[in-house]
Amino acid sequence: MAKTIEVGGVATVIKQANFGQGGQGQVHLVHLKSDPDKKMALKELRGSTRALARTKYLCQRNLSALSPAFAGPIVCEDVGNGRILHLAPFAEGGDLDDYPPRALPQNLEICLEFVSLIQLLEENGIVHGDLGTGNIRIAPDGTVTLIDFDGYLADDPTIPPPDTIGQFPMLAPEQRDGTHEQPTRESGYFAMAVFMSTVATGRYPTEGLADEPTDVVHYMSQGHWPEHDRISDVDDLPIAALGQELVDLFDLAFSLNPQARPSPDVWRRALVRALQNCWVHDCGQCFVAASSMQACPGCGAQITIPGTRGQLKIQLLPTGPRYGLELKDRVAIVLGRSTIPGLPPTVSSRHLEILPFGGKFLLRHVGRNPTLIRQRGQWYRLQESWLDADDLNSGIDLQLADLMLSLISG
Ligand SMILES: [Zn+2]
């Protein structure tokens, strides 16, 4: 028979004991006795007056009411024998590397959601204190959830600080050299950047650069983003693809001066701008464009990024990434798997050609499965069709095999 455990008056039934090993205690997956569909995480902490005061405070703050993305504890109980139990909502999702690689705009969206959560926490007087890839859960659709708040810092002076310093891969230089081991808001900014660097590039900042812990410490403590020191491999994301603004923020975030590290608000604004300027080049390289850019960060070919006007954009529907495309008169743009990352296999590598020609566009189907175009509310099979630039002002919906997208100018 399933074991029932009561925490602070809430009855739960164990679904899976020892579900995961948290840094500070054992975690069981349970469900509410009154609602078997409601999954919760039951955690056992080592008891102390200090741990109990901290856990009670966290339960009172009820972070999960602030946002469902905060899986913080809701009730807790000192059960004696040096044990405290607390109950938190269960977070779906996995680690970063549990899913196949995502396209750059999707990774930037994960970063944006993540920093927005850190900002919301901070505005409510809480610093997570123990950010690490295991404590940041990512669902298949990219939804981010923060778990394990046991190492939090509060801006309430009556709350004792945590007795943990965080996880080795995420520690700031001042924690590594012992000048300030205790986590701070600014060491959290460092950890935040380590996580986003890993999301954006698909690798830990020193992966392939350093293996020995002393070498990792060296590269993480130089005062600049370790990605600059890497001899890049053809499969690596060239960091220039993130755009100069984000590269500069990563350098500041790895600063030895904690006060120089960008806040979540600064990151959030830069990420919003980056997401509005994602481009994809003929070679399939996606990048954050700036008008100063003269070469594709992927293949090095010369490119011209137009100003705010005269751009052609594709939006993958319903809520996929939006990319800008370079428009050159009489040079065909190819849409397909060879030029846009992450498209389904039903789309051919070259599926649709768009030829800008004297202010008009010639659309030509070249793929295996059909291309459909919506005009005046009706879907038509497209072989070849001319569009005026005006037609694109309000967007033209296309369907490449089973992929819906919208073509927009301006
Ligand atoms: Zn290129």
Side-chain angles (χ1 to χ4, degrees):
M1 198 182 133
K3 193 177 170 194
T4 303
I5 299 184
E6 196 165 300
V7 186
V10 179
T12 68
V13 180
I14 292 200
K15 281 169 86 84
Q16 197 181 340
N18 303 332
F19 174 69
Q21 178 77 56
Q24 299 100 314
Q26 201 67 50
V27 184
H28 309 295
L29 175 62
V30 302
H31 64 76
L32 292 183
K33 199 171 185 184
S34 59
D35 181 359
D37 291 334
K38 186 76 185 158
K39 284 198 276 184
M40 307 284 284
L42 175 69
K43 189 165 179 182
E44 193 176 310
L45 297 177
R46 277 188 302 277
S48 66
T49 322
R50 166 176 158 145
L52 188 61
R54 284 178 52 82
T55 311
K56 277 187 172 166
Y57 179 82
L58 204 52
C59 291
Q60 281 160 11
R61 296 304 304 265
N62 196 5
L63 295 178
S64 59
L66 203 57
S67 163
F70 301 139
I74 293 164
V75 289
C76 64
E77 186 175 344
D78 183 357
V79 290
N81 306 324
R83 292 156 62 228
I84 297 171
L85 297 181
H86 74 54
L87 196 59
F90 177 75
E92 301 287 350
D95 283 350
L96 260 186
D97 48 12
D98 286 349
Y99 301 104
R102 297 176 167 89
L104 179 65
Q106 290 160 323
N107 286 331
L108 296 179
E109 271 166 15
I110 290 174
C111 290
L112 175 60
E113 190 169 325
F114 168 68
V115 291
S116 303
L117 292 175
I118 299 295
Q119 183 175 8
L120 178 61
L121 263 190
E122 192 174 300
E123 284 166 358
N124 282 275
I126 300 279
V127 168
H128 186 284
D130 189 18
L131 292 175
T133 48
N135 291 342
I136 304 161
R137 313 307 289 167
I138 301 181
D141 68 355
T143 303
V144 181
T145 309
L146 299 184
I147 65 168
D148 196 352
F149 289 79
D150 296 325
Y152 77 95
L153 314 175
D155 63 3
D156 180 333
T158 64
I159 298 305
D163 53 11
T164 50
I165 65 163
Q167 303 172 25
F168 176 78
M170 316 303 277
L171 296 184
E174 66 274 16
Q175 294 180 290
R176 293 176 189 274
D177 68 13
T179 52
H180 198 296
E181 239 184 358
Q182 281 300 313
T184 58
R185 174 176 304 201
E186 290 74 24
S187 69
Y189 290 175
F190 185 92
M192 189 171 81
V194 174
F195 177 72
M196 287 196 287
S197 173
T198 307
V199 172
T201 64
R203 60 196 173 231
Y204 181 74
T206 65
E207 191 185 311
L209 189 62
D211 295 323
E212 297 296 321
T214 50
D215 295 336
V216 171
V217 170
H218 166 74
Y219 280 109
M220 294 296 273
S221 308
Q222 298 183 98
H224 65 247
W225 195 22
E227 285 290 336
H228 293 296
D229 304 314
R230 182 187 299 278
I231 298 166
S232 66
D233 189 80
V234 282
D235 295 332
D236 289 347
L237 175 89
I239 58 171
L242 295 173
Q244 196 59 46
E245 186 177 19
L246 293 183
V247 171
D248 290 345
L249 287 188
F250 275 118
D251 277 321
L252 283 173
F254 279 77
S255 173
L256 300 181
N257 172 9
Q259 304 305 321
R261 296 174 195 150
S263 70
D265 191 47
V266 171
W267 277 108
R268 189 177 55 77
R269 291 162 193 270
L271 285 161
V272 167
R273 278 189 289 273
L275 277 161
Q276 286 164 349
N277 287 299
C278 283
W279 272 53
V280 64
H281 188 237
D282 296 348
C283 68
Q285 178 69 53
C286 175
F287 59 95
V288 177
S291 53
S292 58
M293 254 176 174
Q294 294 179 346
C296 165
C299 66
Q302 221 185 344
I303 50 167
T304 315
I305 307 288
T308 49
R309 299 189 64 76
Q311 287 198 33
L312 189 63
K313 290 194 166 174
I314 54 168
Q315 164 81 55
L316 303 191
L317 298 172
T319 57
R322 180 185 259 217
Y323 297 106
L325 301 165
E326 187 181 22
L327 265 186
K328 272 193 254 173
D329 202 45
R330 302 182 195 201
V331 177
I333 296 163
V334 176
L335 301 189
R337 278 187 296 114
S338 66
T339 55
I340 304 173
L343 297 191
T346 46
V347 178
S348 300
S349 62
R350 300 171 66 85
H351 204 101
L352 180 71
E353 283 181 5
I354 303 171
L355 183 72
F357 196 98
K360 292 184 162 210
F361 297 94
L362 175 63
L363 271 55
R364 203 157 70 87
H365 169 75
V366 290
R368 188 164 46 86
N369 294 315
T371 297
L372 304 180
I373 183 166
R374 183 153 67 178
Q375 289 178 313
R376 292 173 297 279
Q378 283 285 335
W379 286 100
Y380 298 95
R381 189 160 175 171
L382 183 134
Q383 288 301 336
E384 263 192 21
S385 180
W386 282 97
L387 293 179
D388 286 325
D390 287 349
D391 296 337
L392 294 176
N393 286 342
S394 53
I396 289 278
D397 288 342
L398 295 168
Q399 189 172 341
L400 278 55
D402 50 3
L403 174 83
M404 302 279 285
L405 60 86
S406 192
L407 207 56
I408 312 150
S409 76

